[in-house]
Amino acid sequence: MSKRTATEVLESTGQPYTKASSGGTKRENPIEDEMGEFEDAWEDELESDEEVVDANEENKEDGMDIDEVLPAIEESDEPPQAPEAFIPGRHALGEDEVLEADDSVYIMRHPMNVTWPCLSFDVLRDNQGDERQRFPATAYIVTGTQADTAKNNEVMVLKMSSLHKTQKDGNDSDSDNDNDDDDDALDEDAILEHRSIPHVGGVNRIRAQPLSSYPQASQPYHVATWAETGKVHIWDIRPLLESLDVPGYNLDKTKSRTPVFTINSHGHAEGFAMDWASSGPSSLRLLTGDIHSKIFLTTSTPSGFNALSQPFISHTSSVEDLQWSPQDPTIFASCSADRSIQIWDVRTKGRKSAAGMKAAHESDVNVISWNRTSKHLLVSGGDEGGIKVWDLRNVKQWGTSAPEPSPVASFMWHKGPITSIEWHPTEDSIFAAGGADDQVTLWDLAVEQDDEEAGMVDTPVGEQDVPPQLLFIHQGQKDIKEVHWHPQIPGTVISTALDGFNIFKTVSV
């Protein structure tokens, strides 16, 4: 992987939020009388006694007010002072302060609200092309709700359109290079459309089948939901997508509201861990893990889905996340509340893991992500807020005397549990993380500390050092649950939290 020094990263990229007072009062603009007063030639003859002014009043000559002469205002060549950047762990908000987004460090940023919290989602592949750079943009996601009662929950396909560029100020150095006649720089409200199907129970996690291209009209688009009832449902959401894009499309609600298949292997045990793998359009593999430490495999054939009855059992506590290997179709990784990360081979008899890290984190291991380009790298996030990067070529084989492996990189920046983590789909050194401390952070392992620059920066005692690999901090959401990169719009990140969705693209990635 290529390396960049910290000096090559824009200094403003990690500071998207500034502090602003919420209790200030608005200053009124003075009203200038441009015309002045008109003098009436006959006014002296019409003046009443009340309008006569004593010439000696207040010791002013001729009864005229004399304007006070003020010194000339000197213009300064110094630019206005930049607002103070808010850095979590280094700054704290006062009682009368709120965070205000600095849109100069965003290429695009849109918040979107929904009726019920959606604590899990996945990005859907569309037919608008890859490597899209033009605005306004359009994105599709699938999500599930956490409603007040079980019967009010839904699976929703959301279409986010009119995603315009964020308006930048006139001091932007790039503004001269933009085409003023192009309306893609306008900051307008995005449009959110949706289609939904009822779902019994809250949706703990939702994942869409992996696709390299948009499926043909005759092919289904499968999505799996982990329900709080202990069931895993597989749906075909292709009709919902068609009804969003095809005018006059007749959506057969009776057919779309019925799951294609339901996995009952977990009984009544609730779960969160889930991941798809694909060996082709008609060959799918779905892993699901529950709070009772069991992992089940479901496969597909041209005739339908088949849930295998024998579980994978090596964890001793709740399975929190699962990831198929991007290179080997029979290998997958899991993480658990037993603090371990384990590597499995579905061909192994007895359904036991072959290797892993028994004490990967100091507490529960919540999430993992397998690097899609550097296929030996795995990143994990723990309940203690730690982020660790592992080289899977160094994992410990169970039953050997080899020492426990150490992470190749470790970061303690977040102040709450890591709830989501994901590698960039094409950049092998970049990943995004989300935490319960209301932060989405973007990281680049290729950035190295400049020793000379590090010696010039004095961090006050008690304040947290900002790691050079930390590119960007996105804030403004409450209790972030999941973060995903959009695979077809480079650098675009989507996050969900208790208060809705954010979709944004920063100047740093």
Side-chain angles (χ1 to χ4, degrees):
M1 60 182 73
S2 61
K3 294 184 178 180
R4 291 185 285 168
T5 66
T7 56
E8 293 179 283
V9 182
L10 296 177
E11 295 180 358
S12 63
T13 59
Q15 323 300 337
Y17 279 82
T18 57
K19 294 191 290 185
S21 173
S22 62
T25 57
K26 185 176 181 180
R27 183 176 62 184
E28 295 184 359
N29 295 325
I31 301 176
E32 296 182 0
D33 189 352
E34 298 179 355
M35 300 298 294
E37 297 183 358
F38 288 94
E39 182 178 354
D40 188 349
W42 309 99
E43 184 177 4
D44 291 341
E45 296 182 5
L46 300 176
E47 280 181 350
S48 63
D49 293 339
E50 291 79 10
E51 295 173 330
V52 176
V53 180
D54 186 355
N56 295 323
E57 184 179 1
E58 298 182 1
N59 299 323
K60 294 180 180 178
E61 295 182 2
D62 301 328
M64 299 175 61
D65 292 335
I66 301 176
D67 293 336
E68 182 181 357
V69 178
L70 299 176
I73 299 176
E74 296 182 1
E75 295 184 358
S76 174
D77 294 334
E78 296 182 1
Q81 186 175 1
E84 182 182 4
F86 181 86
I87 303 177
R90 179 173 294 184
H91 301 134
L93 291 176
E95 294 182 0
D96 62 339
E97 291 180 319
V98 294
L99 287 177
E100 182 179 280
D102 178 6
D103 281 333
S104 67
V105 297
Y106 290 94
I107 296 175
M108 179 262 292
R109 182 182 68 87
H110 291 282
M112 296 185 181
N113 297 323
V114 288
T115 304
W116 301 109
C118 300
L119 306 187
S120 181
F121 75 98
D122 207 358
V123 181
L124 297 174
R125 178 166 285 277
D126 56 52
N127 58 356
Q128 300 188 28
D130 296 338
E131 301 294 322
R132 304 201 296 265
Q133 300 286 352
R134 290 187 60 83
F135 291 91
T138 299
Y140 299 80
I141 66 171
V142 63
T143 186
T145 63
Q146 289 279 337
D148 55 347
T149 60
K151 64 181 180 62
N152 289 336
N153 284 290
E154 296 177 315
V155 172
M156 297 190 298
V157 174
L158 304 181
K159 179 182 179 181
M160 304 175 180
S161 57
S162 294
L163 300 172
H164 288 265
K165 273 188 174 182
T166 297
Q167 186 69 43
K168 298 183 179 181
D169 58 35
N171 295 327
D172 186 4
S173 60
D174 295 333
S175 60
D176 294 338
N177 298 327
D178 292 338
N179 185 359
D180 294 336
D181 297 331
D182 192 354
D183 64 352
D184 66 356
L186 296 177
D187 184 17
E188 297 182 359
D189 291 336
I191 299 173
L192 182 62
E193 303 170 83
H194 79 282
R195 297 290 185 271
S196 63
I197 51 180
H199 187 276
V200 178
V203 178
N204 292 344
R205 190 156 293 177
I206 188 167
R207 291 292 181 263
Q209 73 172 90
L211 292 172
S212 57
S213 61
Y214 192 70
Q216 298 178 0
S218 59
Q219 294 178 338
Y221 197 165
H222 290 118
V223 164
T225 58
W226 236 127
E228 62 183 1
T229 60
K231 298 181 182 297
V232 177
H233 302 292
I234 299 177
W235 312 81
D236 179 11
I237 57 137
R238 183 61 186 266
L240 279 70
L241 282 169
E242 294 293 322
S243 67
L244 281 169
D245 288 337
V246 179
Y249 182 85
N250 184 20
L251 178 62
D252 186 352
K253 293 184 178 180
T254 57
K255 184 178 180 181
S256 62
R257 292 185 176 189
T258 304
V260 175
F261 187 76
T262 296
I263 301 170
N264 296 304
S265 306
H266 299 275
H268 297 289
E270 194 174 0
F272 298 88
M274 177 188 296
D275 194 37
W276 286 98
S278 175
S279 301
S282 60
S283 179
L284 294 170
R285 291 162 288 137
L286 177 66
L287 286 169
T288 53
D290 61 37
I291 60 174
H292 291 167
S293 73
K294 294 180 180 179
I295 302 170
F296 286 91
L297 173 63
T298 299
T299 61
S300 72
T301 63
S303 59
F305 288 91
N306 178 34
L308 305 184
S309 59
Q310 186 179 2
F312 297 89
I313 45 173
S314 284
H315 284 296
T316 58
S317 188
S318 173
V319 179
E320 299 295 306
D321 202 6
L322 291 161
Q323 285 272 288
W324 283 102
S325 167
Q327 185 176 19
D328 193 325
T330 66
I331 303 297
F332 70 90
S334 64
C335 67
S336 168
D338 62 11
R339 300 170 53 199
S340 73
I341 298 174
Q342 301 194 27
I343 310 300
W344 309 70
D345 191 329
V346 297
R347 299 167 298 182
T348 303
K349 294 182 179 180
R351 301 294 175 113
K352 298 283 188 178
S353 67
M357 293 76 73
K358 284 189 175 180
H361 282 258
E362 291 73 21
S363 59
D364 301 358
V365 188
N366 296 332
V367 286
I368 53 175
S369 179
W370 208 313
N371 196 303
R372 300 293 168 181
T373 51
S374 293
K375 300 177 178 61
H376 57 275
L377 291 180
L378 186 85
V379 63
S380 61
D383 216 40
E384 81 285 358
I387 296 172
K388 297 185 179 183
V389 182
W390 306 90
D391 188 336
L392 295 181
R393 294 170 296 187
N394 300 327
V395 298
K396 180 180 179 179
Q397 300 291 326
W398 302 145
T400 67
S401 59
E404 284 288 328
S406 298
V408 295
S410 182
F411 306 101
M412 277 298 302
W413 173 263
H414 284 268
K415 300 302 181 183
I418 304 299
T419 56
S420 184
I421 203 160
E422 185 173 276
W423 288 102
H424 190 285
T426 57
E427 298 290 340
D428 61 2
S429 64
I430 296 175
F431 64 87
D437 57 354
D438 306 337
Q439 296 185 61
V440 174
T441 52
L442 307 185
W443 302 79
D444 188 354
L445 298 180
V447 178
E448 294 181 340
Q449 180 70 58
D450 188 305
D451 294 335
E452 294 183 1
E453 185 181 74
M456 298 172 61
V457 179
D458 294 328
T459 302
V461 178
E463 291 187 353
Q464 186 177 9
D465 289 332
V466 179
Q469 294 83 6
L470 179 54
L471 294 183
F472 197 92
I473 305 172
H474 173 78
Q475 298 175 89
Q477 291 179 278
K478 183 179 180 181
D479 199 359
I480 295 162
K481 292 299 182 182
E482 275 195 6
V483 178
H484 296 295
W485 298 93
H486 196 294
Q488 295 175 273
I489 311 177
T492 297
V493 178
I494 308 175
S495 57
T496 186
L498 289 179
D499 53 359
F501 290 90
N502 276 193
I503 179 168
F504 60 92
K505 182 176 180 178
T506 76
V507 297
S508 55
V509 178

